[in-house]
Amino acid sequence: MADTTDSDLVAGERRDDLLRALSYVSTESGPDGEYIVNGDLPPEVAPPFIRAIMRIEAELLLHDAEQVTVETGEPRSPDERRADAFVALALRVTDRA
């Protein structure tokens, strides 16, 4: 469900709604060099954000399903896929070029 860059929709949701939701999200560095994502989204902005993350996560799951082999198993864990979906959403929302 990749959206065109001139669309006002990102992962099926209004770009402005997602930008507002992302304004409630922050990151911090973890002890092992990882990033920790924190967000306390108000009820009025949470549903579009959650739906968009889930749609992108579904895209990634379909892609991952094509990569599964007996030798390698799944290419990433559900937690990794969710984190990748968050990053993809943030990139798509801010990509207006």
Side-chain angles (χ1 to χ4, degrees):
M1 177 182 288
D3 302 296
T4 61
T5 56
D6 60 347
S7 173
D8 192 41
L9 296 180
V10 177
E13 301 296 332
R14 289 178 1 105
R15 183 183 308 273
D16 288 343
D17 292 342
L18 297 172
L19 284 168
R20 182 165 177 231
L22 283 171
S23 73
Y24 292 94
V25 175
S26 63
T27 60
E28 62 184 273
S29 295
D32 297 322
E34 75 278 11
Y35 283 102
I36 299 167
V37 178
N38 299 305
D40 188 16
L41 280 63
E44 66 272 12
V45 299
F49 181 78
I50 293 167
R51 287 191 300 262
I53 288 281
M54 291 176 74
R55 288 183 185 115
I56 295 172
E57 193 174 3
E59 290 175 26
L60 297 175
L61 180 61
L62 290 171
H63 178 267
D64 288 356
E66 297 297 322
Q67 310 303 314
V68 173
T69 66
V70 173
E71 295 82 25
T72 61
E74 289 189 54
R76 58 186 142 196
S77 71
D79 286 342
E80 290 169 328
R81 193 167 25 256
R82 173 65 53 100
D84 290 347
F86 172 78
V87 171
L89 177 62
L91 291 171
R92 291 181 192 184
V93 165
T94 58
D95 182 21
R96 291 183 180 256

